[in-house]
mmCIF file of all heavy atoms in Angstrom:
data_model
loop_
_atom_site.group_PDB
_atom_site.id
_atom_site.type_symbol
_atom_site.label_atom_id
_atom_site.label_comp_id
_atom_site.label_asym_id
_atom_site.label_seq_id
_atom_site.Cartn_x
_atom_site.Cartn_y
_atom_site.Cartn_z
ATOM 1 N N LEU A 116 93.582 112.097 91.356
ATOM 2 C CA LEU A 116 93.954 113.218 92.225
ATOM 3 C C LEU A 116 93.327 113.037 93.607
ATOM 4 O O LEU A 116 93.993 113.221 94.625
ATOM 5 C CB LEU A 116 93.510 114.548 91.604
ATOM 6 C CG LEU A 116 93.694 115.792 92.470
ATOM 7 C CD1 LEU A 116 95.154 115.999 92.852
ATOM 8 C CD2 LEU A 116 93.150 117.021 91.743
ATOM 9 N N ALA A 117 92.059 112.664 93.653
ATOM 10 C CA ALA A 117 91.393 112.458 94.941
ATOM 11 C C ALA A 117 92.113 111.395 95.760
ATOM 12 O O ALA A 117 92.278 111.541 96.980
ATOM 13 C CB ALA A 117 89.933 112.067 94.725
ATOM 14 N N SER A 118 92.587 110.355 95.108
ATOM 15 C CA SER A 118 93.318 109.298 95.800
ATOM 16 C C SER A 118 94.625 109.828 96.386
ATOM 17 O O SER A 118 94.980 109.516 97.538
ATOM 18 C CB SER A 118 93.599 108.156 94.824
ATOM 19 O OG SER A 118 94.334 107.144 95.458
ATOM 20 N N GLU A 119 95.338 110.639 95.624
ATOM 21 C CA GLU A 119 96.599 111.214 96.127
ATOM 22 C C GLU A 119 96.335 112.195 97.269
ATOM 23 O O GLU A 119 97.093 112.241 98.239
ATOM 24 C CB GLU A 119 97.383 111.894 95.004
ATOM 25 C CG GLU A 119 97.878 110.956 93.931
ATOM 26 C CD GLU A 119 98.903 109.931 94.389
ATOM 27 O OE1 GLU A 119 99.365 109.971 95.558
ATOM 28 O OE2 GLU A 119 99.255 109.071 93.572
ATOM 29 N N VAL A 120 95.266 112.965 97.166
ATOM 30 C CA VAL A 120 94.916 113.909 98.240
ATOM 31 C C VAL A 120 94.567 113.120 99.503
ATOM 32 O O VAL A 120 94.971 113.490 100.613
ATOM 33 C CB VAL A 120 93.767 114.851 97.816
ATOM 34 C CG1 VAL A 120 93.331 115.731 98.977
ATOM 35 C CG2 VAL A 120 94.194 115.707 96.628
ATOM 36 N N SER A 121 93.862 112.016 99.336
ATOM 37 C CA SER A 121 93.540 111.150 100.470
ATOM 38 C C SER A 121 94.821 110.652 101.148
ATOM 39 O O SER A 121 94.938 110.675 102.377
ATOM 40 C CB SER A 121 92.697 109.964 99.996
ATOM 41 O OG SER A 121 92.468 109.066 101.050
ATOM 42 N N THR A 122 95.793 110.248 100.344
ATOM 43 C CA THR A 122 97.074 109.788 100.872
ATOM 44 C C THR A 122 97.799 110.912 101.619
ATOM 45 O O THR A 122 98.373 110.689 102.689
ATOM 46 C CB THR A 122 97.964 109.250 99.736
ATOM 47 O OG1 THR A 122 97.281 108.167 99.097
ATOM 48 C CG2 THR A 122 99.309 108.782 100.253
ATOM 49 N N ALA A 123 97.749 112.106 101.049
ATOM 50 C CA ALA A 123 98.390 113.254 101.701
ATOM 51 C C ALA A 123 97.769 113.515 103.077
ATOM 52 O O ALA A 123 98.490 113.735 104.053
ATOM 53 C CB ALA A 123 98.283 114.498 100.818
ATOM 54 N N PHE A 124 96.449 113.465 103.137
ATOM 55 C CA PHE A 124 95.789 113.676 104.426
ATOM 56 C C PHE A 124 96.107 112.537 105.400
ATOM 57 O O PHE A 124 96.273 112.780 106.598
ATOM 58 C CB PHE A 124 94.277 113.841 104.258
ATOM 59 C CG PHE A 124 93.869 115.235 103.883
ATOM 60 C CD1 PHE A 124 93.255 115.493 102.664
ATOM 61 C CD2 PHE A 124 94.114 116.307 104.728
ATOM 62 C CE1 PHE A 124 92.886 116.788 102.306
ATOM 63 C CE2 PHE A 124 93.751 117.599 104.394
ATOM 64 C CZ PHE A 124 93.131 117.840 103.175
ATOM 65 N N ALA A 125 96.220 111.314 104.896
ATOM 66 C CA ALA A 125 96.570 110.182 105.762
ATOM 67 C C ALA A 125 97.943 110.411 106.385
ATOM 68 O O ALA A 125 98.131 110.205 107.583
ATOM 69 C CB ALA A 125 96.558 108.884 104.961
ATOM 70 N N GLU A 126 98.900 110.847 105.562
ATOM 71 C CA GLU A 126 100.253 111.079 106.070
ATOM 72 C C GLU A 126 100.319 112.313 106.971
ATOM 73 O O GLU A 126 101.234 112.433 107.772
ATOM 74 C CB GLU A 126 101.238 111.176 104.905
ATOM 75 C CG GLU A 126 101.391 109.846 104.204
ATOM 76 C CD GLU A 126 102.577 109.756 103.288
ATOM 77 O OE1 GLU A 126 103.499 110.595 103.393
ATOM 78 O OE2 GLU A 126 102.583 108.829 102.466
ATOM 79 N N SER A 127 99.340 113.201 106.834
ATOM 80 C CA SER A 127 99.280 114.390 107.699
ATOM 81 C C SER A 127 98.541 114.109 108.999
ATOM 82 O O SER A 127 98.506 114.952 109.881
ATOM 83 C CB SER A 127 98.558 115.532 106.967
ATOM 84 O OG SER A 127 99.257 115.903 105.829
ATOM 85 N N GLY A 128 97.905 112.941 109.085
ATOM 86 C CA GLY A 128 97.183 112.570 110.293
ATOM 87 C C GLY A 128 95.749 113.067 110.348
ATOM 88 O O GLY A 128 95.128 113.030 111.404
ATOM 89 N N ASP A 129 95.203 113.513 109.237
ATOM 90 C CA ASP A 129 93.827 114.010 109.194
ATOM 91 C C ASP A 129 92.928 112.918 108.610
ATOM 92 O O ASP A 129 92.667 112.872 107.407
ATOM 93 C CB ASP A 129 93.761 115.278 108.340
ATOM 94 C CG ASP A 129 92.385 115.926 108.312
ATOM 95 O OD1 ASP A 129 91.388 115.260 108.666
ATOM 96 O OD2 ASP A 129 92.297 117.107 107.903
ATOM 97 N N SER A 130 92.443 112.031 109.476
ATOM 98 C CA SER A 130 91.676 110.872 109.002
ATOM 99 C C SER A 130 90.305 111.257 108.444
ATOM 100 O O SER A 130 89.787 110.593 107.552
ATOM 101 C CB SER A 130 91.531 109.828 110.106
ATOM 102 O OG SER A 130 90.885 110.389 111.227
ATOM 103 N N GLU A 131 89.732 112.330 108.952
ATOM 104 C CA GLU A 131 88.420 112.766 108.449
ATOM 105 C C GLU A 131 88.526 113.215 106.983
ATOM 106 O O GLU A 131 87.738 112.806 106.135
ATOM 107 C CB GLU A 131 87.875 113.902 109.311
ATOM 108 C CG GLU A 131 86.458 114.315 108.958
ATOM 109 C CD GLU A 131 85.929 115.380 109.899
ATOM 110 O OE1 GLU A 131 86.147 115.270 111.118
ATOM 111 O OE2 GLU A 131 85.295 116.329 109.394
ATOM 112 N N SER A 132 89.523 114.041 106.680
ATOM 113 C CA SER A 132 89.725 114.488 105.298
ATOM 114 C C SER A 132 90.213 113.343 104.424
ATOM 115 O O SER A 132 89.856 113.248 103.250
ATOM 116 C CB SER A 132 90.718 115.648 105.248
ATOM 117 O OG SER A 132 90.173 116.774 105.909
ATOM 118 N N GLN A 133 91.015 112.452 104.995
ATOM 119 C CA GLN A 133 91.466 111.286 104.243
ATOM 120 C C GLN A 133 90.256 110.486 103.765
ATOM 121 O O GLN A 133 90.163 110.112 102.597
ATOM 122 C CB GLN A 133 92.348 110.394 105.110
ATOM 123 C CG GLN A 133 92.709 109.085 104.425
ATOM 124 C CD GLN A 133 93.222 108.020 105.386
ATOM 125 O OE1 GLN A 133 93.206 108.191 106.599
ATOM 126 N NE2 GLN A 133 93.672 106.915 104.832
ATOM 127 N N ASP A 134 89.322 110.240 104.670
ATOM 128 C CA ASP A 134 88.124 109.469 104.324
ATOM 129 C C ASP A 134 87.281 110.195 103.280
ATOM 130 O O ASP A 134 86.763 109.575 102.341
ATOM 131 C CB ASP A 134 87.301 109.190 105.582
ATOM 132 C CG ASP A 134 86.142 108.261 105.296
ATOM 133 O OD1 ASP A 134 86.391 107.163 104.755
ATOM 134 O OD2 ASP A 134 84.988 108.638 105.597
ATOM 135 N N LYS A 135 87.160 111.497 103.416
ATOM 136 C CA LYS A 135 86.386 112.303 102.453
ATOM 137 C C LYS A 135 86.945 112.127 101.042
ATOM 138 O O LYS A 135 86.198 111.862 100.094
ATOM 139 C CB LYS A 135 86.442 113.778 102.873
ATOM 140 C CG LYS A 135 85.853 114.745 101.885
ATOM 141 C CD LYS A 135 86.065 116.177 102.398
ATOM 142 C CE LYS A 135 85.848 117.216 101.344
ATOM 143 N NZ LYS A 135 86.135 118.565 101.830
ATOM 144 N N TYR A 136 88.258 112.260 100.895
ATOM 145 C CA TYR A 136 88.863 112.147 99.560
ATOM 146 C C TYR A 136 88.942 110.702 99.087
ATOM 147 O O TYR A 136 88.892 110.445 97.885
ATOM 148 C CB TYR A 136 90.224 112.854 99.515
ATOM 149 C CG TYR A 136 90.022 114.339 99.384
ATOM 150 C CD1 TYR A 136 89.969 115.156 100.502
ATOM 151 C CD2 TYR A 136 89.797 114.916 98.138
ATOM 152 C CE1 TYR A 136 89.731 116.511 100.384
ATOM 153 C CE2 TYR A 136 89.564 116.271 98.015
ATOM 154 C CZ TYR A 136 89.528 117.061 99.145
ATOM 155 O OH TYR A 136 89.269 118.406 99.008
ATOM 156 N N ARG A 137 89.010 109.760 100.013
ATOM 157 C CA ARG A 137 88.951 108.352 99.611
ATOM 158 C C ARG A 137 87.586 108.056 98.999
ATOM 159 O O ARG A 137 87.482 107.340 98.008
ATOM 160 C CB ARG A 137 89.224 107.432 100.799
ATOM 161 C CG ARG A 137 89.323 105.960 100.366
ATOM 162 C CD ARG A 137 89.561 105.016 101.516
ATOM 163 N NE ARG A 137 88.361 104.995 102.334
ATOM 164 C CZ ARG A 137 88.372 105.007 103.663
ATOM 165 N NH1 ARG A 137 89.499 105.050 104.315
ATOM 166 N NH2 ARG A 137 87.247 104.970 104.339
ATOM 167 N N ARG A 138 86.566 108.662 99.546
ATOM 168 C CA ARG A 138 85.218 108.484 98.983
ATOM 169 C C ARG A 138 85.101 109.145 97.605
ATOM 170 O O ARG A 138 84.446 108.622 96.723
ATOM 171 C CB ARG A 138 84.165 109.035 99.936
ATOM 172 C CG ARG A 138 83.998 108.199 101.172
ATOM 173 C CD ARG A 138 82.984 108.798 102.144
ATOM 174 N NE ARG A 138 82.926 108.057 103.365
ATOM 175 C CZ ARG A 138 82.164 106.979 103.564
ATOM 176 N NH1 ARG A 138 81.408 106.534 102.600
ATOM 177 N NH2 ARG A 138 82.180 106.362 104.727
ATOM 178 N N PHE A 139 85.724 110.295 97.433
ATOM 179 C CA PHE A 139 85.737 110.925 96.107
ATOM 180 C C PHE A 139 86.468 110.047 95.097
ATOM 181 O O PHE A 139 86.071 109.947 93.936
ATOM 182 C CB PHE A 139 86.415 112.298 96.136
ATOM 183 C CG PHE A 139 85.659 113.368 96.868
ATOM 184 C CD1 PHE A 139 86.355 114.419 97.455
ATOM 185 C CD2 PHE A 139 84.283 113.355 96.969
ATOM 186 C CE1 PHE A 139 85.684 115.433 98.124
ATOM 187 C CE2 PHE A 139 83.599 114.362 97.642
ATOM 188 C CZ PHE A 139 84.295 115.401 98.218
ATOM 189 N N ALA A 140 87.559 109.417 95.552
ATOM 190 C CA ALA A 140 88.367 108.582 94.661
ATOM 191 C C ALA A 140 87.641 107.299 94.275
ATOM 192 O O ALA A 140 87.829 106.785 93.183
ATOM 193 C CB ALA A 140 89.697 108.237 95.326
ATOM 194 N N ASN A 141 86.807 106.804 95.167
ATOM 195 C CA ASN A 141 86.084 105.563 94.915
ATOM 196 C C ASN A 141 84.635 105.735 95.347
ATOM 197 O O ASN A 141 84.294 105.464 96.494
ATOM 198 C CB ASN A 141 86.739 104.411 95.677
ATOM 199 C CG ASN A 141 86.171 103.079 95.277
ATOM 200 O OD1 ASN A 141 85.187 103.000 94.548
ATOM 201 N ND2 ASN A 141 86.780 102.018 95.777
ATOM 202 N N PRO A 142 83.775 106.172 94.430
ATOM 203 C CA PRO A 142 82.380 106.462 94.778
ATOM 204 C C PRO A 142 81.611 105.284 95.361
ATOM 205 O O PRO A 142 80.577 105.474 95.986
ATOM 206 C CB PRO A 142 81.762 106.895 93.445
ATOM 207 C CG PRO A 142 82.904 107.300 92.595
ATOM 208 C CD PRO A 142 84.068 106.487 93.042
ATOM 209 N N VAL A 143 82.108 104.059 95.208
ATOM 210 C CA VAL A 143 81.436 102.901 95.778
ATOM 211 C C VAL A 143 81.330 103.028 97.293
ATOM 212 O O VAL A 143 80.377 102.552 97.897
ATOM 213 C CB VAL A 143 82.196 101.615 95.352
ATOM 214 C CG1 VAL A 143 82.285 100.575 96.418
ATOM 215 C CG2 VAL A 143 81.553 101.055 94.121
ATOM 216 N N TYR A 144 82.306 103.718 97.916
ATOM 217 C CA TYR A 144 82.255 103.910 99.368
ATOM 218 C C TYR A 144 80.994 104.643 99.800
ATOM 219 O O TYR A 144 80.562 104.503 100.936
ATOM 220 C CB TYR A 144 83.488 104.679 99.859
ATOM 221 C CG TYR A 144 84.728 103.834 99.955
ATOM 222 C CD1 TYR A 144 85.779 104.026 99.075
ATOM 223 C CD2 TYR A 144 84.846 102.845 100.924
ATOM 224 C CE1 TYR A 144 86.925 103.254 99.152
ATOM 225 C CE2 TYR A 144 85.984 102.066 101.005
ATOM 226 C CZ TYR A 144 87.015 102.272 100.118
ATOM 227 O OH TYR A 144 88.132 101.517 100.207
ATOM 228 N N GLU A 145 80.414 105.405 98.919
ATOM 229 C CA GLU A 145 79.191 106.139 99.271
ATOM 230 C C GLU A 145 78.039 105.197 99.600
ATOM 231 O O GLU A 145 77.121 105.567 100.304
ATOM 232 C CB GLU A 145 78.786 107.086 98.140
ATOM 233 C CG GLU A 145 79.736 108.254 97.953
ATOM 234 C CD GLU A 145 79.907 109.105 99.191
ATOM 235 O OE1 GLU A 145 78.908 109.438 99.868
ATOM 236 O OE2 GLU A 145 81.068 109.429 99.514
ATOM 237 N N THR A 146 78.074 103.981 99.062
ATOM 238 C CA THR A 146 76.972 103.048 99.296
ATOM 239 C C THR A 146 77.158 102.214 100.558
ATOM 240 O O THR A 146 76.210 101.590 101.022
ATOM 241 C CB THR A 146 76.802 102.101 98.091
ATOM 242 O OG1 THR A 146 77.990 101.324 97.950
ATOM 243 C CG2 THR A 146 76.520 102.874 96.821
ATOM 244 N N VAL A 147 78.364 102.212 101.121
ATOM 245 C CA VAL A 147 78.615 101.424 102.324
ATOM 246 C C VAL A 147 77.775 101.975 103.467
ATOM 247 O O VAL A 147 77.779 103.163 103.768
ATOM 248 C CB VAL A 147 80.122 101.444 102.694
ATOM 249 C CG1 VAL A 147 80.365 100.761 104.035
ATOM 250 C CG2 VAL A 147 80.937 100.807 101.594
ATOM 251 N N GLY A 148 77.036 101.070 104.094
ATOM 252 C CA GLY A 148 76.205 101.460 105.233
ATOM 253 C C GLY A 148 74.820 101.956 104.862
ATOM 254 O O GLY A 148 74.022 102.238 105.741
ATOM 255 N N THR A 149 74.509 102.052 103.590
ATOM 256 C CA THR A 149 73.160 102.474 103.187
ATOM 257 C C THR A 149 72.309 101.236 102.938
ATOM 258 O O THR A 149 72.822 100.188 102.512
ATOM 259 C CB THR A 149 73.187 103.340 101.912
ATOM 260 O OG1 THR A 149 73.740 102.587 100.847
ATOM 261 C CG2 THR A 149 73.992 104.610 102.130
#
Side-chain angles (χ1 to χ4, degrees):
L116 174 59
S118 178
E119 295 295 354
V120 175
S121 175
T122 301
F124 277 116
E126 292 195 17
S127 298
D129 184 343
S130 59
E131 186 176 317
S132 295
Q133 173 197 7
D134 187 55
K135 172 184 165 184
Y136 281 93
R137 186 181 68 222
R138 289 177 185 274
F139 291 152
N141 189 352
V143 141
Y144 282 110
E145 291 302 315
T146 63
V147 173
T149 61

